[in-house]
Amino acid sequence: MSRFLIISASMGAGHDAVASELAGRLRTDGHQASCVDLLSLLPHGAGRGLRAAYRTALRRCPWAYQTVYSTLFQDRGRGGCGDGRSTAAAPLAAALAPRLRRVVDRWRPDALVSTFHQAAQATGRLRAAHGGDCPPSTVVVTDFAVHRQWLHPDNSLYLCVTDAAAARVTAATGRPAKVCGPVVPAAFTAGGRPAPGRQPSRWGTELARIGPGRPVVLVSAGAWGVGRGLTATARLLADAGHLPVLLCGNDEGLRAHAARLPGVLPLGWIDDLPDLMAASSALVDNAAGQTAVQALAAGVPVVGYRPIPGHGVEGVREMAEAGISEYAAGDAALLGALDRLARPGPGRERRIAAGRAVFVGDAARLVAC
């Protein structure tokens, strides 16, 4: 039995979701696992301020976040990520590393696991400073587009979602990188359409009542309800004969606004997303984050559209280039993609198979090796 310290960050919900799932799998396998929020290690109030600034930039001034991302995060050239050491992250990593060291000394884990890019910088910095006195560290890269902030050459191992991401990590850091695919709960892979004679799920029954005969298309806005033209997208889909289900996360203002749109079903944060996905025909995604990979696991085709700036733009395009989703550059392309993917047919089946094929390993088993 080993002890694992998993370091995440409450920036949205995706990184914490991966950390929680990894911890659960490790415990099931007989290990001890504890999760720590990196933002909680910052001086009083600084973590909340950093999260608020990031959320505000995404929601109110996305151009500012794009500028920051292009300057501090983006690869230097399509094929590489610099020398694998992000100098831009140095001030924050310098503040975090000694605080993380105190947690490591107190909990004494056998290994560190990072599910957030600044956590990877902090663990890399720890290992560079303390060498053999610091546990080995694995970085679980949750993004399809690997930006510079994920990379530090003093981490021990990287786990990536695709071969392309793993190759980029190794080229930049010289460290081993393995492909495991995304980390999602088993409840998503256990979903599926009801077999003949089986009673439909709660969501299947409810959606059939609300929009009989209309293909259900989920529109994702993440935990914070972030995105450009979300209600316009929902209206477009409703006018085209779909039943758009707008996933508003925790944004009650967005949900209230969308509730006034005819033919649109807005939902807040829900706990039975696997059941909802099992009753859905496609997902319109803008971030290439956890909702997108959960859809892939559930056999729901994904179409990237109007991506959020920075990591969203890069991730949506990387997913499409990997052949596991489609990218729609405009309204006509979106409707054309959904005509092929939201209804039964060979195009839909090929896309579902490609999406499920990305899940090639168990990150928890690779972490514990």
Side-chain angles (χ1 to χ4, degrees):
M1 180 182 72
S2 298
R3 292 164 60 86
F4 294 90
L5 181 65
I6 304 174
I7 308 119
S8 182
S10 53
M11 291 289 207
H15 300 285
D16 284 346
V18 173
S20 177
E21 176 64 17
L22 279 173
R25 293 185 191 182
L26 288 167
R27 291 168 189 146
T28 297
D29 288 341
H31 303 290
Q32 294 184 34
S34 180
C35 297
V36 61
D37 182 354
L38 200 68
L39 299 187
S40 70
L41 303 182
L42 288 169
H44 181 68
R48 290 194 303 273
L50 185 62
R51 180 172 54 241
Y54 173 57
R55 180 176 179 175
T56 299
L58 283 178
R59 291 166 62 93
R60 306 300 181 195
C61 44
W63 57 268
Y65 176 64
Q66 181 62 58
T67 300
V68 170
Y69 185 87
S70 299
T71 303
L72 303 182
F73 288 66
Q74 206 159 28
D75 297 356
R76 296 191 184 101
R78 183 65 170 172
C81 304
D83 64 356
R85 191 186 303 271
S86 177
T87 56
L92 184 56
L96 286 166
R99 291 173 169 82
L100 179 59
R101 178 71 195 194
R102 288 195 287 272
V103 176
V104 170
D105 288 343
R106 183 170 65 250
W107 208 71
R108 303 190 64 81
D110 298 301
L112 306 175
V113 182
S114 300
T115 65
F116 182 65
H117 52 80
Q118 288 296 339
Q121 291 295 321
T123 56
R125 191 179 183 92
L126 265 186
R127 287 182 53 76
H130 299 280
D133 190 38
C134 186
S137 61
T138 297
V139 178
V140 180
V141 182
T142 59
D143 290 336
F144 283 85
V146 183
H147 56 68
R148 282 190 284 147
Q149 300 285 347
W150 280 108
L151 305 173
H152 196 293
D154 289 288
N155 286 306
S156 311
L157 172 67
Y158 282 80
L159 301 182
C160 300
V161 292
T162 63
D163 290 325
R168 196 168 302 160
V169 165
T170 298
T173 66
R175 304 307 300 166
K178 297 181 180 180
V179 181
C180 63
V183 178
V184 303
F188 289 95
T189 60
R193 304 301 184 269
R198 178 183 164 192
Q199 289 295 319
S201 66
R202 178 180 79 85
W203 277 115
T205 301
E206 180 69 6
L207 296 173
R209 181 188 66 79
I210 294 172
R214 299 166 64 190
V216 177
V217 178
L218 305 178
V219 181
S220 176
W224 290 343
V226 172
R228 177 171 57 92
L230 292 166
T231 54
T233 299
R235 286 198 304 268
L236 174 72
L237 299 181
D239 291 344
H242 300 284
L243 173 57
V245 178
L246 181 56
L247 303 177
C248 302
N250 296 312
D251 189 336
E252 287 301 313
L254 174 62
R255 183 182 179 186
H257 176 60
R260 297 192 290 269
L261 303 176
V264 175
L265 175 61
L267 298 176
W269 187 265
I270 61 172
D271 295 322
D272 55 351
L273 187 56
D275 185 43
L276 176 59
M277 283 190 172
S280 302
S281 297
L283 170 74
V284 176
D285 170 66
N286 67 2
Q290 276 303 105
T291 306
V293 297
Q294 288 163 354
L296 296 180
V300 176
V302 175
V303 181
Y305 181 65
R306 288 180 172 170
I308 62 175
H311 66 279
V313 171
E314 286 208 314
V316 163
R317 290 177 177 167
E318 288 281 351
M319 280 187 71
E321 288 179 13
I324 58 180
S325 68
E326 294 198 14
Y327 173 66
D331 291 357
L334 174 63
L335 296 179
L338 291 175
D339 282 343
R340 286 181 284 104
L341 300 178
R343 294 178 172 83
R348 173 182 173 82
E349 295 307 314
R350 284 194 297 270
R351 187 62 67 196
I352 289 174
R356 282 180 163 158
V358 76
F359 298 90
V360 296
D362 183 346
R365 299 288 173 87
L366 294 172
V367 164
C369 284

